[in-house]
Amino acid sequence: MSRQWRNTLGHFFRPLADTVRPWLPDYLPVAWKLGLTFSALVLLGMTVLGSIILSNQLTDMQSQADRFGQTVAAQLADSAREPLLADDTFTLKILIQNLGTSENLAGAALFNRDLRPLEQAGLLPAEAVPTISGPVRHWRHDGAPMTTYFAPITAEQHTAGYVAVTLSGTDIAAAQGHARRTMVTATLLMGLVAIILAFWISRRLAQPLHDLVAATSAIRAGDLNYRLRNAGNDEIGQLIAAYNSMAHGLLEKDQVERVLSRFVSPRVAQQMMADIGEVQLGGREVEASVLFADIVGFTRLSERLAPDAVAELLNCYFNAINCAADFYRGTIDKYMGDCAMLVFGVPEKDGEHLYHALCCAVMIQRLILRINEQRRAQGRVTVEFRIGINAGTMLAGNLGSQNRMQYTVVGDAVNLASRLSNMAGAGEIIIADALVRDPNIASRLRSTVAGTMRVRGKSDPVLTYRVEGVHAQSETLMEQRIARFLSAHGDDAPTAWPPAREAGGHP
């Protein structure tokens, strides 16, 4: 179809579509669209076909009537030839009168060669003569259709006169009306059957689409095990097969991400799964905070415990550390034996990474105290943690080799946090003086001087502080989180921690 024809059709149908659109509902199922389309096409086709058949049938009926009238007129002309030539008016009168009063004819007439009427019986159109009316004249009498047929009376190739025969069209009109009603009734019945079949077929065709909608809704709700039964070898069957393959891929990805998030931070796992083709070695400089939490005296403790008891002990306390990290947007970078390394500000940027690291450390120590109370009441082994925190510029990214890499942070700031942890005592949180002097932290931190320590790799001694607590409002939220954690892990939470005093800055 040429562009000109498309533009012409568009100009024709666009106003129609704009007129119909306000009457259409906002949501119309595919089955209804297919059913209405099929029904409209079937009705249109049957209407056109019925009209053609009816028109042909009515034309044939009229043609048969015309042939009958012309035959009667020709026979009358043959019968009237000899009486007309012999000027036998009596015979002509009897002939016309008999024809005019018969059941099959409505009238008959005889004209001489000068077109003057000689005899007439029954109905004849007014002022109708052969030369004016032609061989056939259609007219009406009291609303009833009439048809008059003219035929010449010839003798030796000369016209001696004319005859006229009038047929009533009432019977033909009745037959045509019956045929029209029969055809319309048949068209409507067949159209109704076609509409029912069209909607039934449309529902069958649209059912896979309904199944796909239900399947996508299930996936949106998190049910990745939802599958469709593929019973077709057409395009819909291919679509269902593609959906099942996609759902299987999403399930595998979700399973891999769940397993991966047990070994690395969930945020790192999500980034790796989102850009799995872009995972490569490399890093970038970031401003972040690092927290090291180490068990005091773990080496001697592990020598006198069975391996499964050591695993149970580490899992119990590391679970508490993971809870605190999640609450303060921290990421478990790695577990190194009895030590946990947490980072704040990577991989997701956090403008409050240092304060969150300090709050996390306070929550860890207080949570450990509560857990120890429960474990001692149960006669189980308890431990204490020492924590070191530092913040600054560090390198964050995938480090290692092409075959085995790990997302982590490295740098001098990370090393100092590890050494501060080693210098802390049981239950202590040690930070460098640079953190205490941070104007964003000073008013929200309670701390005391821990002393000057020499750190390997540093030429000058490092002044350190011992963290005692954070802002009172932060500690209130912290206590609520601690109570929820202890309640969720089976035992009732012990008596609430004493209310923290207002932060007044470090001494």
Side-chain angles (χ1 to χ4, degrees), residues 330-391:
T331 298
I332 303 293
D333 185 271
K334 63 175 69 71
Y335 295 109
M336 299 170 291
D338 63 323
C339 179
M341 175 181 171
L342 284 64
V343 294
F344 299 81
V346 287
E348 294 182 353
K349 188 175 181 181
D350 181 8
E352 289 281 352
H353 59 84
L354 176 54
Y355 185 67
H356 286 158
L358 294 169
C359 290
C360 181
V362 174
M363 181 174 176
I364 289 174
Q365 293 293 25
R366 296 187 179 182
L367 191 52
I368 296 303
L369 287 176
R370 306 290 183 82
I371 293 175
N372 286 341
E373 291 178 8
Q374 292 181 348
R375 291 178 68 88
R376 275 193 292 267
Q378 299 168 359
R380 302 164 72 183
V381 177
T382 62
V383 297
E384 291 184 296
F385 278 79
R386 54 189 180 185
I387 297 176
I389 301 176
N390 193 28

Side-chain angles (χ1 to χ4, degrees), residues 89-270:
T89 58
F90 178 77
T91 301
L92 292 173
K93 184 175 182 178
I94 295 299
L95 181 62
I96 296 300
Q97 290 293 332
N98 289 337
L99 287 175
T101 58
S102 66
E103 293 183 1
N104 295 327
L105 300 180
L110 176 65
F111 300 86
N112 62 13
R113 70 177 63 184
D114 297 326
L115 304 178
R116 291 197 307 270
L118 299 177
E119 295 291 340
Q120 178 180 348
L123 300 176
L124 193 70
E127 300 178 357
V129 293
T131 55
I132 299 175
S133 305
V136 180
R137 169 75 183 275
H138 297 284
W139 54 288
R140 304 188 74 83
H141 175 72
D142 293 337
M146 299 289 176
T147 305
T148 300
Y149 302 91
F150 297 93
I153 301 174
T154 59
E156 297 181 357
Q157 299 181 353
H158 295 285
T159 301
Y162 299 90
V163 295
V165 176
T166 300
L167 297 181
S168 174
T170 303
D171 295 338
I172 297 176
Q176 290 178 340
H178 178 72
R180 187 179 291 107
R181 288 190 298 271
T182 301
M183 184 61 67
V184 170
T185 302
T187 301
L188 291 178
L189 289 176
M190 295 180 65
L192 180 61
V193 173
I195 290 174
I196 295 174
L197 290 177
F199 274 92
W200 180 75
I201 294 173
S202 300
R203 286 180 62 87
R204 293 291 301 272
L205 291 177
Q207 187 59 44
L209 299 180
H210 288 291
D211 295 339
L212 282 171
V213 171
T216 54
S217 299
I219 284 186
R220 191 183 301 113
D223 184 7
L224 300 180
N225 291 305
Y226 195 100
R227 296 293 183 273
L228 294 174
R229 183 174 61 87
N230 188 359
N233 56 355
D234 52 7
E235 289 82 357
I236 294 179
Q238 295 176 1
L239 182 61
I240 292 176
Y243 162 80
N244 288 335
S245 177
M246 179 197 69
H248 181 71
L250 290 175
L251 179 61
E252 287 186 338
K253 179 181 178 181
D254 182 70
Q255 292 172 341
V256 170
E257 186 173 337
R258 287 176 182 272
V259 173
L260 186 62
S261 63
R262 294 176 179 267
F263 294 91
V264 299
S265 165
R267 298 183 183 90
V268 176
Q270 290 174 1

Side-chain angles (χ1 to χ4, degrees), residues 323 326-327 363 477-486:
C323 171
D326 286 343
F327 189 60
M363 181 174 176
L477 296 175
M478 184 188 305
E479 291 301 325
Q480 295 174 358
R481 179 62 178 171
I482 291 173
R484 287 199 300 269
F485 173 82
L486 295 175

Side-chain angles (χ1 to χ4, degrees), residues 437-467:
R437 288 186 277 104
D438 188 327
N440 189 41
I441 298 299
S443 61
R444 296 186 288 174
L445 179 68
R446 301 196 312 275
S447 60
T448 58
V449 176
T452 301
M453 301 180 183
R454 287 199 168 272
V455 180
R456 187 177 60 182
K458 296 286 185 180
S459 58
D460 298 327
V462 176
L463 178 62
T464 62
Y465 284 81
R466 183 181 299 106
V467 176

